[in-house]
Amino acid sequence: MNIMDFNVKKFAADAGTFLSRAVQFTEEKLGQAEKTELDAHLENLLSKAECTKIWTEKIMKQTEVLLQPNPNARIEEFVYEKLDRKAPSRVNNPELLGQYMIDAGTEFGPGTAYGNALIKCGETQKRIGTADRELIQTSALNFLTPLRNFIEGDYKTIAKERKLLQNKRLDLDAAKTRLKKAKAAETRASSEQELRITQSEFDRQAEITRLLLEGISSTHAHHLRCLNDFVEAQMTYYAQCYQYMLDLQKQLGSFPSSYHCNNNQTSVVPVPSASSNVIGSSAMTSSGLVMTSPSNLIDLKEGSGSRKARVLYDYDAANSSELSLLADEVITVFSVVGMDSDWLMGERGNQKGRVPITYLELLN
């Protein structure tokens, strides 16, 4: 027998087997043939494996969305992974925001309160971006990779053996059907021999499938450890972010913060930190200049004279009616009838505008 004859006979045998299975499957669906049922334990194992596969896929995909919300970036990472190449590093959203803040603060001026605050916020955002990158890398390695290995490895093997079991079951039931239809003694003997063979093959395949399916419990235990790693990575990330923001809040607390109303001329003036020198105290400054008392402030507000004042902090004017200030400069201030009690009129050369009194140190 040459190779061609062997291949033709093998093809004919495979085609006959396929046709026999198709006929058996169709008759089962139409209720015209009996079907061998799997034992309850095996059915439960199959159901557990299918349930594990479905939920593992959902959890894995949603975790990927959580870690990388950009769908285009996820597609790019998927392509690079399939090509077994490392995806190019890209700036993430917190890092990009941080860089914008730093650039803006640099342009506004690091010496101004707003510019300095922007730079500090930008640095913190970049640190959060680094922590975010570490979370993604750790989660991908310790959580997503094991889940993906199960879907693309263990479950594919289970699915393959399960399909093979289904085919063996169809062969067994087709052999039972042929035995029932056999009339002649010779045909019946041949059918009985075929039934014994198909029963043996079915039993062997059922045992192989059962052993694989019982490994699902080990898979659950492994995924539980991976889940704990994921939770620990998230805990580390959020703890880092909390500490970064706490440090930033403390740094920003040293700046006077202003809240300006755009609809009228009245502005709410912030109060600098308690450790700073503020109008109303009677302390001696490091330069030897005595700050005014509340009574001196009242005299200034009620009188028509002007006074010199040293600027304590940088101040950016909110609108054209206000005067921007630089720390340590000396300006002339005076009151204007009807002006809010938290404000004075400031004058520097030919520039004039409202200034907040909490930013000033009146000089004797």
Side-chain angles (χ1 to χ4, degrees), residues 20-305:
S20 174
R21 290 171 180 169
V23 171
Q24 178 65 28
F25 182 80
T26 302
E27 290 181 349
E28 287 176 359
K29 291 297 182 182
L30 296 175
Q32 298 175 355
E34 294 182 2
K35 175 182 176 181
T36 299
E37 299 293 341
L38 303 177
D39 65 80
H41 177 60
L42 187 55
E43 287 285 7
N44 288 335
L45 290 175
L46 288 169
S47 177
K48 185 177 180 180
E50 183 66 19
C51 182
T52 301
K53 179 253 186 184
I54 291 172
W55 284 111
T56 299
E57 283 183 332
K58 289 183 177 181
I59 292 171
M60 183 177 68
K61 289 178 180 178
Q62 193 56 40
T63 303
E64 290 173 343
V65 172
L66 173 68
L67 297 176
Q68 177 51 268
N70 187 339
N72 293 329
R74 291 201 303 274
I75 293 174
E76 181 182 353
E77 290 171 357
F78 175 79
V79 171
Y80 274 99
E81 182 181 347
K82 291 302 179 184
L83 294 175
D84 198 21
R85 293 174 58 188
K86 183 179 180 181
S89 178
R90 66 170 60 84
V91 177
N92 57 31
N93 290 330
E95 290 173 332
L96 186 60
L97 174 60
Q99 191 58 54
Y100 285 165
M101 286 182 169
I102 291 173
D103 292 345
T106 302
E107 186 165 343
F108 293 151
T112 65
Y114 183 43
N116 198 351
L118 275 173
I119 291 173
K120 290 185 180 298
C121 287
E123 291 171 348
T124 299
Q125 289 296 330
K126 294 187 80 169
R127 293 174 72 187
I128 291 175
T130 301
D132 187 66
R133 194 182 301 278
E134 292 173 355
L135 171 65
I136 292 174
Q137 292 174 348
T138 303
S139 300
L141 178 64
N142 297 335
F143 186 59
L144 288 177
T145 298
L147 298 187
R148 187 176 292 109
N149 288 342
F150 167 73
I151 296 297
E152 297 179 356
D154 294 350
Y155 189 79
K156 279 190 174 181
T157 302
I158 290 174
K160 178 182 177 182
E161 297 300 330
R162 181 178 183 175
K163 183 177 180 181
L164 191 55
L165 177 63
Q166 170 74 351
N167 289 336
K168 296 300 182 182
R169 201 269 308 161
L170 289 171
D171 291 342
L172 174 61
D173 289 336
K176 290 179 179 179
T177 301
R178 282 191 290 272
L179 178 59
K180 287 182 179 180
K181 294 179 179 179
K183 300 295 184 182
E186 184 177 345
T187 304
R188 189 169 184 82
S190 175
S191 297
E192 288 175 348
Q193 176 65 19
E194 181 188 14
L195 179 59
R196 283 192 294 271
I197 294 173
T198 54
Q199 181 70 61
S200 175
E201 292 178 348
F202 171 77
D203 292 341
R204 179 175 176 275
Q205 186 58 39
E207 182 63 16
I208 293 172
T209 306
R210 183 185 64 79
L211 291 173
L212 282 173
L213 291 172
E214 287 177 345
I216 290 294
S217 296
S218 298
T219 298
H220 284 192
H222 179 50
H223 287 182
L224 175 59
R225 292 191 295 272
C226 297
L227 181 61
N228 286 330
D229 290 341
F230 179 54
V231 171
E232 184 175 346
Q234 283 188 304
M235 181 183 68
T236 301
Y237 169 72
Y238 289 118
Q240 285 178 322
C241 292
Y242 174 76
Q243 188 60 50
Y244 293 157
M245 298 311 295
L246 197 62
D247 294 342
L248 176 62
Q249 186 183 46
K250 291 178 181 178
Q251 294 179 52
L252 295 182
S254 64
F255 297 118
S257 54
S258 301
Y259 302 92
H260 299 285
C261 178
N262 296 324
N263 297 326
N264 54 59
Q265 294 299 316
T266 302
S267 300
V268 180
V269 181
V271 180
S273 60
S275 61
S276 304
N277 291 328
V278 205
I279 284 183
S281 67
S282 299
M284 181 72 73
T285 66
S286 59
S287 62
L289 299 173
V290 179
M291 296 175 62
T292 56
S293 65
S295 60
N296 289 334
L297 179 58
I298 294 173
D299 291 342
L300 177 61
K301 297 293 291 184
E302 293 179 350
S304 57

Side-chain angles (χ1 to χ4, degrees), residues 308-327:
K308 292 292 184 181
R310 185 171 69 87
V311 177
L312 298 174
Y313 316 98
D314 290 343
Y315 177 73
D316 295 324
N319 51 55
S320 59
S321 71
E322 297 178 8
L323 180 67
S324 294
L325 303 174
L326 293 175

Side-chain angles (χ1 to χ4, degrees), residues 349-361:
N350 60 354
Q351 295 180 319
K352 187 183 296 184
R354 298 183 317 127
V355 294
I357 62 174
T358 52
Y359 283 62
L360 302 174
E361 175 187 22

